Amino acid sequence: MSRFRAYGPRQIDTIAARYGLPDELRKTVRLVSQVLPFRVNEYVLSNLIDWQNLPDDPIYQLVFPQQGMLSSEDEKRLSVLLDADDTVSRRELTETVNSIRARLNPHPSGQMQLNVPQQDGVELKGMQHKYRETVLYFPGHGQSCHAYCTYCFRWAQFVGEADLRFAAPDPGHLLTYLGDHPDVSDVLVTGGDPAIMSTDRLRSHLEPLLTVDTLRTIRIGTKAVAYWPQRFVTDQDADDLLRLFEQVVASGRNLAVMAHFSHPRELETDIARRAVSRIRSTGALVYCQAPLIAHVNDDPRTWAELWRRELAADAVPYYMFVERDTGPHDYFKVPLARAATIFREAYRTLPGLARTVRGPVMSATPGKVLVDGVQDTPEGRYFALRMVQARDPQLVGRPFRALYSPTACWIDELECDPSTPEDIVAAVAGRVRH
């Protein structure tokens, strides 16, 4: 039975020696991981990365920090401070790292300012409530992952800055909040990754939710099926975890495992497919989502193959997201026009049952904005957009247009068509109505 072991910056020399990581790439990991989190494990190293294709291998790009994720100026400054060995330089290194992180938009789309709910005027830590029906819950014990994605929009959870983290010690405040908000039907247990917890720990967070009659769906956001499928197959408490899933389903709730698959290789291994099968055997549903990210999956053939493998594994292709404007966004971003083309070219090759997927979708401040495509009209070119979810429920499902831009990668780089209704214009501009 494989035992989980994590590797971080301190083990980069060990990884380099085992897998022949060139010295230049090793130095890059050491440098960039001063700012962005780095964590990988034996399964990813041994089963998912093609070590003969560095640095271009998509899984290597997905888990190892890369040159270009920070500006050249920041890289040079960090390099000088790392090479110095004195107290003043170490203090300046810490200050420089914090300064760089602050410029990387650690909490995009109003997560801190707009999403944190309040109870009796007190902010409820470890929770977010952006959409009427759904509350996000961040168990404090689940604020890590089996491996870190370099694109992760929640990278700030993992860098050791307490003020940047969402974490709840227990579900007490969540239960009170749900009792006062009967419109909330869904709780998304997220992180980090809830599957990093032992089953007993996870049970302590899930079982109390089963006492809330108005709660109909529990979602668990996880990358474990891709990065450590042993969690559902061979870990010491894997069977206990499945029994917990069965318990949730038997309570009459929907249990949805929101599995993050970024590349079809993550579903190539037998144990990953077995993990999905075992989850499904409990009555839980498996929905699959991932962002479109340069250097990893920015071509239609990759997405078509990914969605087909998800369907074959009895999982539901759900979302193609647009890479959020945070962290190393400039490294991973794909223009919206290109994203729409990639989605369309992949989508049209799919069988009908795989066409459950939606995208490309921006999880922006006003809500989830779907890029339906590009329209050519007598008046000019436009992006056809639609709000598939919104802070303001009155905006859900409504189409609108934005002027075409070949370079725009995020909603704040778009200009709404002059005919767009004012409430949508206000939402897109960040004038949020609750």
Side-chain angles (χ1 to χ4, degrees), residues 275-304:
V276 175
S277 178
R278 281 170 63 86
I279 293 168
R280 290 286 291 116
S281 74
T282 68
L285 304 170
V286 178
Y287 288 89
C288 304
Q289 56 194 36
L292 171 64
I293 34 184
H295 309 284
V296 174
N297 59 19
D298 54 332
D299 71 87
R301 286 174 296 181
T302 298
W303 281 95

Side-chain angles (χ1 to χ4, degrees), residues 84-398:
D85 188 21
D86 59 84
T87 302
V88 173
S89 294
R90 286 194 292 271
R91 183 170 59 248
E92 189 174 349
L93 175 63
T94 299
E95 294 171 353
T96 300
V97 166
N98 290 337
S99 173
I100 296 171
R101 286 173 177 167
R103 287 187 269 114
L104 294 178
N105 191 20
H107 281 297
S109 303
Q111 289 183 138
M112 283 289 192
Q113 303 87 347
L114 301 174
N115 293 2
V116 178
Q118 294 188 358
Q119 194 81 20
D120 299 326
V122 178
E123 289 189 348
L124 301 181
K125 304 297 183 183
M127 292 168 53
Q128 292 185 34
H129 191 185
K130 181 176 181 179
Y131 305 128
R132 178 181 58 191
E133 304 86 359
T134 305
V135 164
L136 275 60
Y137 173 59
F138 299 75
H141 301 108
Q143 297 316 304
S144 184
C145 294
H146 292 94
Y148 293 152
C149 296
T150 44
Y151 67 77
C152 182
F153 79 92
R154 290 202 181 125
W155 61 270
Q157 292 282 102
F158 314 126
V159 296
E161 296 291 333
D163 291 343
L164 297 180
R165 298 179 66 196
F166 289 95
D170 59 64
H173 288 306
L174 173 61
L175 295 176
T176 301
Y177 189 79
L178 293 176
D180 293 341
H181 294 81
D183 286 344
V184 176
S185 59
D186 292 37
V187 166
L188 170 57
V189 185
T190 185
D193 192 327
I196 203 77
M197 290 186 280
S198 70
T199 300
D200 285 343
R201 286 278 197 195
L202 182 58
R203 180 180 288 110
S204 72
H205 290 279
L206 294 189
E207 277 190 339
L209 300 181
L210 304 184
T211 66
V212 181
D213 292 338
T214 52
L215 185 62
R216 305 316 310 157
T217 298
I218 295 175
R219 309 182 200 177
I220 297 176
T222 182
K223 185 74 178 181
V225 191
Y227 281 171
W228 189 252
Q230 291 91 332
R231 183 68 191 92
F232 309 95
V233 181
T234 60
D235 272 6
Q236 186 174 5
D237 62 347
D239 289 345
D240 291 339
L241 179 61
L242 299 184
R243 300 294 82 77
L244 175 60
F245 286 2
E246 288 178 343
Q247 178 184 348
V248 174
V249 174
S251 75
R253 273 82 175 178
N254 290 316
L255 176 62
V257 174
M258 315 305 292
H260 296 254
F261 292 110
S262 306
H263 192 275
R265 195 181 301 164
E266 294 168 329
L267 273 167
E268 278 186 359
T269 64
D270 289 338
I271 194 170
R273 295 191 296 270
R274 285 178 60 199
V276 175
S277 178
R278 281 170 63 86
I279 293 168
R280 290 286 291 116
S281 74
T282 68
L285 304 170
V286 178
Y287 288 89
C288 304
Q289 56 194 36
L292 171 64
I293 34 184
H295 309 284
V296 174
N297 59 19
D298 54 332
D299 71 87
R301 286 174 296 181
T302 298
W303 281 95
E305 180 64 20
L306 175 61
W307 292 330
R308 287 175 180 273
R309 289 190 183 184
E310 290 169 352
L311 181 64
D314 199 21
V316 181
Y318 188 44
Y319 273 126
M320 172 202 275
F321 286 113
V322 176
E323 171 62 4
R324 286 196 181 187
D325 56 337
T326 181
H329 180 242
D330 287 342
Y331 186 83
F332 284 123
K333 66 184 181 182
V334 177
L336 297 176
R338 173 65 179 151
T341 297
I342 290 172
F343 180 87
R344 184 182 69 253
E345 291 183 359
Y347 186 85
R348 69 188 182 191
T349 70
L350 298 178
L353 289 180
R355 290 181 177 175
T356 50
V357 70
R358 293 182 286 186
V361 169
M362 292 177 278
S363 283
T365 301
K368 290 185 171 68
V369 181
L370 173 67
V371 183
D372 262 330
V374 176
Q375 296 177 337
D376 288 297
T377 75
E379 296 83 26
R381 304 190 81 188
Y382 297 89
F383 285 114
L385 307 170
R386 180 158 47 94
M387 301 288 293
V388 296
Q389 182 58 287
R391 294 181 186 275
D392 180 357
Q394 298 301 315
L395 302 181
V396 175
R398 290 173 58 184

Side-chain angles (χ1 to χ4, degrees), residues 4-19:
F4 177 76
R5 180 187 177 189
Y7 297 83
R10 292 181 180 178
Q11 289 80 41
I12 188 59
D13 290 339
T14 300
I15 295 172
R18 283 180 58 189
Y19 295 99

